[in-house]
Amino acid sequence: MLIDNHNRKINYVRLAVTDRCNLRCTYCMPAEGINFVHKSKLLSLEELTTLCEILVAQGIDKIRLTGGEPFVRKDLMVLLRNLSKLEGLKDISITTNATLIGPYIDELKTLGIKNINVSLDAVDKDTFKAITRRDNFDVVYNNVMRLIEEGFNVRLNCIALEGQNTQEILPMIQLTKKYDIGVRFLEEMPFNGGSKAFKTILWDYKYILEHIKSEHLDYYKIESEKTSTSVNYKIPGYKGNFGVIPSFSRTFCGTCNRLRISATGDIITCLYGKPVMNLLEIMRGNAVKENVEEAIVNAIGNRAKTGFEAQEKYKGVFDNSMTSIGG
Ligand code: SAM
Ligand code: SF4
């Protein structure tokens, strides 16, 4: 079992499998994209599989594949097949923009994958297009509907973006009336590849909740997992639920149970800090198992207590883009 230097059990890894993406969300990167790394600098399928085997043997029981867009990786399904055979790995989840997932939905179900988070920042087609800078709304929406029909545990992540999509918050909540899904509203963070700098936000979790209250006075708080980053609510009579993730305000650090590994093998022990170590060379060297284990234990033994502490130590962290970190 992995325990950090603040006595927090670490059992969850967010693994980015690529830094590439077929969308260009305004909050994530500039229109022209970022400097995507050369393919040889990305962990290979074999390296990702070996890394996950080692992590699971160390006590990680939940792995979320993210990116970039995980489905732009041609060998993603092979990785998922490999991971589905790992004993001890209780939960394989995916965070995706749902543009390319369609052909794989049946196999994902067969592999026992249940939790799919989809980034959807609008139910209005034009707003979606303006935010993602691509015209993919119909395919994304149809894929979300298929995932729901097939019984996946679907969570929609929607970032509240001042001047772009806040008129979409109430319509997004309406989806939870008919469907047993979760909609999570995130505060925007300045991880956008340096395309936009800001030090404060208007649409923080309190402001989002006030806005929701203007229409739904009767929503009530529901129980969430202790390690959840969201605070969750339900509207009486609605099938699904909604929640807010204070990603800018950072009120959730105390129970943080996660470790991030980027597509280039960077170990990131806090979203608001810089990578503390890189695994690529270790993965390509000798004594891989022993050296990776040691690197993970060292990284976990030196975690910042909170996101504010991590940010203080590593100024300039916000120059980065979420497509390299994995969200
Ligand atoms: N491409 C996939 C997707 O969009 O779901 C996975 C990668 S994406 C980088 C992972 C998560 O990061 C998404 O839920 C996205 O909304 C979130 N994200 C990206 N940039 C963000 C920002 N500036 N502030 C808050 N969340 C952000
Ligand atoms: Fe791509 Fe996801 Fe970033 Fe949007 S948030 S540009 S879908 S990686």
Side-chain angles (χ1 to χ4, degrees):
M1 191 194 291
L2 294 164
I3 310 270
D4 79 2
N5 47 320
H6 304 287
N7 215 22
R8 296 173 291 202
K9 182 179 163 195
I10 308 298
N11 65 328
Y12 172 22
V13 166
R14 295 178 65 98
L15 179 62
V17 295
T18 179
D19 62 345
R20 289 155 170 77
C21 187
N22 55 337
L23 301 186
R24 291 286 179 273
C25 302
T26 54
Y27 52 78
C28 184
M29 55 173 123
E32 65 279 13
I34 57 161
N35 285 328
F36 299 109
V37 300
H38 190 268
K39 254 188 159 170
S40 62
K41 295 256 160 47
L42 297 176
L43 290 166
S44 69
L45 169 72
E46 292 72 25
E47 287 160 352
L48 287 169
T49 305
T50 305
L51 177 58
C52 291
E53 281 167 6
I54 298 170
L55 291 166
V56 171
Q58 282 184 298
I60 296 297
D61 61 17
K62 171 173 177 175
I63 295 180
R64 174 175 296 281
L65 299 186
T66 174
E69 173 46 39
F71 285 91
V72 302
R73 244 192 110 124
K74 299 276 180 295
D75 51 11
L76 183 77
M77 292 309 293
V78 186
L79 177 64
L80 285 166
R81 282 175 216 141
N82 294 346
L83 297 193
S84 71
K85 291 182 199 130
L86 287 185
E87 254 178 65
L89 184 56
K90 294 191 200 129
D91 181 352
I92 307 168
S93 307
I94 306 173
T95 297
T96 172
N97 62 31
T99 50
L100 307 168
I101 197 172
Y104 309 109
I105 291 177
D106 290 343
E107 188 177 359
L108 291 172
K109 201 172 163 181
T110 314
L111 291 175
I113 289 158
K114 295 192 179 68
N115 301 317
I116 311 276
N117 287 6
V118 176
S119 299
L120 183 69
D121 302 293
V123 282
D124 171 72
K125 204 170 164 164
D126 293 331
T127 310
F128 176 94
K129 189 175 170 187
I131 293 174
T132 61
R133 302 187 178 107
R134 298 289 186 272
D135 198 5
N136 287 107
F137 179 78
D138 290 339
V139 67
V140 168
Y141 194 78
N142 287 338
N143 283 336
V144 168
M145 288 302 136
R146 265 201 69 208
L147 288 165
I148 296 171
E149 275 162 28
E150 293 296 337
F152 286 89
N153 181 11
V154 176
R155 211 174 81 182
L156 303 179
N157 285 339
C158 171
I159 304 182
L161 303 157
E162 191 181 352
Q164 292 184 71
N165 72 341
T166 50
Q167 74 286 358
E168 293 291 295
I169 293 176
L170 296 173
M172 291 283 300
I173 286 195
Q174 280 313 106
L175 289 175
T176 71
K177 184 173 187 177
K178 194 165 167 201
Y179 304 110
D180 184 10
I181 57 170
V183 175
R184 300 287 177 264
F185 298 102
L186 286 88
E187 295 174 348
E188 184 182 12
M189 291 179 273
F191 283 110
N192 46 46
S195 56
K196 184 176 153 202
F198 52 91
K199 288 205 164 67
T200 56
I201 48 165
L202 173 63
W203 287 84
D204 64 6
Y205 73 100
K206 289 181 198 152
Y207 202 79
I208 297 170
L209 286 175
E210 278 304 309
H211 176 66
I212 295 170
K213 207 162 235 171
S214 68
E215 183 105 336
H216 302 286
L217 266 176
D218 50 355
Y219 73 69
Y220 59 94
K221 199 166 170 176
I222 55 173
E223 200 62 40
S224 306
E225 268 179 46
K226 217 177 103 217
T227 52
S228 170
T229 50
S230 60
V231 185
N232 302 316
Y233 306 88
K234 206 169 163 81
I235 295 166
Y238 282 31
K239 287 191 176 151
N241 57 71
F242 74 91
V244 283
I245 302 187
S247 31
F248 188 88
S249 315
R250 283 168 250 181
T251 53
F252 42 60
C253 302
T255 54
C256 182
N257 65 339
R258 63 199 62 193
L259 187 70
R260 291 175 166 80
I261 301 184
S262 78
T264 56
D266 277 340
I267 305 180
I268 302 166
T269 54
C270 173
L271 178 58
Y272 308 88
K274 282 262 162 89
V276 292
M277 221 172 275
N278 184 275
L279 291 172
L280 195 76
E281 274 194 23
I282 297 180
M283 292 302 306
R284 292 177 185 176
N286 297 319
V288 172
K289 185 168 181 289
E290 293 74 10
N291 289 335
V292 169
E293 277 174 359
E294 194 186 329
I296 298 286
V297 168
N298 283 341
I300 283 177
N302 285 292
R303 290 182 84 214
K305 191 166 184 186
T306 67
F308 293 104
E309 187 186 310
Q311 186 189 341
E312 187 51 38
K313 195 166 163 198
Y314 299 107
K315 296 190 194 326
V317 63
F318 290 138
D319 303 341
N320 218 333
S321 161
M322 278 294 197
T323 198
S324 315
I325 307 169

